[in-house]
Amino acid sequence: MDVSIRRGTPDDADAFCDLFNRLYDRHVDARYFRWRFFSTPFPTDLWVASAGGEPVGFYGAHHLPAADGRSRHTFAVDIMVRPKSQRRGVFRHLASAARKASFGATICVMANVAARDAHVRADGWSHVSTIPTYVAEATPVDPDSAYTVRSITRFADRHTRLWDALAASQPQLRATRRDASYLNWRFADNPWHDYTAFEFERNSTLS
């Protein structure tokens, strides 16, 4: 199969959403596409595989700053290949483009079974673990005058400082740097999920 790989543009919204909505029960629209790939506060790549002039696959990559403020890791998102084009080399081309653009950063793929198997079989990736799901009932807690909990609509510099203090106290931490710009993108501006954020103070100190 003759496949060409290019970087995605905002003009790919219709093709991306059409393929996503054919493959998954949960549907997206152009707002999700723009938020996911063109409104991020960190470098982001979208790779598009085309055959015969038509998009047949997509592979997104978020290049996220790490907690230490120096390194970064790449998180692969929205990996899709048109069913009629699967098992014809499209995925391998997309994954190769993503790996080259990561500049040696660690790449994490949180995949469904199909994408997991494609990575492991196609290019020597390793299945590290399966994330478990837990459910718990909420437990009422008696109010305490030392505690204050309030909802917020946006994250601010004070939340960045809170995160930086946490990261500095745990140099072994391996995580995305959760500063205000990341938190606002991830939660406040998310067009797919409606989040409510809360901040917690103890004796007037943000915790």
Side-chain angles (χ1 to χ4, degrees), residues 2-197:
D2 187 13
V3 178
S4 62
I5 304 295
R6 62 172 174 81
R7 289 184 181 273
T9 73
D11 292 337
D12 290 307
D14 288 346
F16 175 92
C17 294
D18 179 68
L19 179 55
F20 192 108
N21 296 340
R22 289 174 182 268
L23 294 176
Y24 303 109
D25 292 333
R26 187 165 51 178
H27 287 183
V28 299
D29 57 22
R31 292 181 308 138
Y32 172 88
F33 180 79
R34 291 191 298 269
W35 168 80
R36 183 63 115 173
F37 302 111
F38 298 100
S39 300
T40 57
F42 44 78
T44 296
D45 290 320
L46 174 63
W47 300 101
V48 182
S50 297
E54 296 294 327
V56 296
F58 295 89
Y59 197 114
H62 288 168
H63 305 297
L64 298 157
D68 60 15
R70 299 183 300 276
S71 58
R72 71 174 185 174
H73 55 270
T74 294
F75 191 80
V77 296
D78 294 337
I79 305 162
M80 306 181 293
V81 176
R82 185 184 297 176
K84 290 183 178 180
S85 301
Q86 293 176 6
R87 301 183 183 278
R88 303 181 68 183
V90 175
F91 169 82
R92 185 183 293 275
H93 287 297
L94 287 168
S96 176
R99 293 183 72 166
K100 290 177 181 177
S102 70
F103 301 107
T106 299
I107 302 177
C108 174
V109 182
M110 190 179 297
N112 58 23
V113 173
R116 179 202 64 193
D117 291 347
H119 281 85
V120 171
R121 287 198 304 263
D123 205 20
W125 297 61
S126 297
H127 178 203
V128 176
S129 65
T130 298
I131 298 175
T133 300
Y134 298 99
V135 178
E137 296 293 332
T139 303
V141 176
D142 293 333
D144 188 314
S145 60
Y147 300 153
T148 301
V149 179
R150 57 177 169 269
S151 63
I152 58 173
T153 57
R154 306 287 297 177
F155 294 89
D157 289 344
R158 64 185 183 277
H159 302 110
T160 297
R161 292 193 295 270
L162 182 65
W163 167 259
D164 287 342
L166 171 65
S169 70
Q170 301 186 43
Q172 78 284 1
L173 181 65
R174 298 293 180 265
T176 299
R177 184 170 188 262
R178 289 168 168 81
D179 59 11
S181 62
Y182 173 85
L183 293 171
N184 281 322
W185 170 81
R186 179 67 178 82
F187 298 108
D189 300 330
N190 194 311
W192 208 8
H193 300 293
D194 186 13
Y195 289 99
T196 300

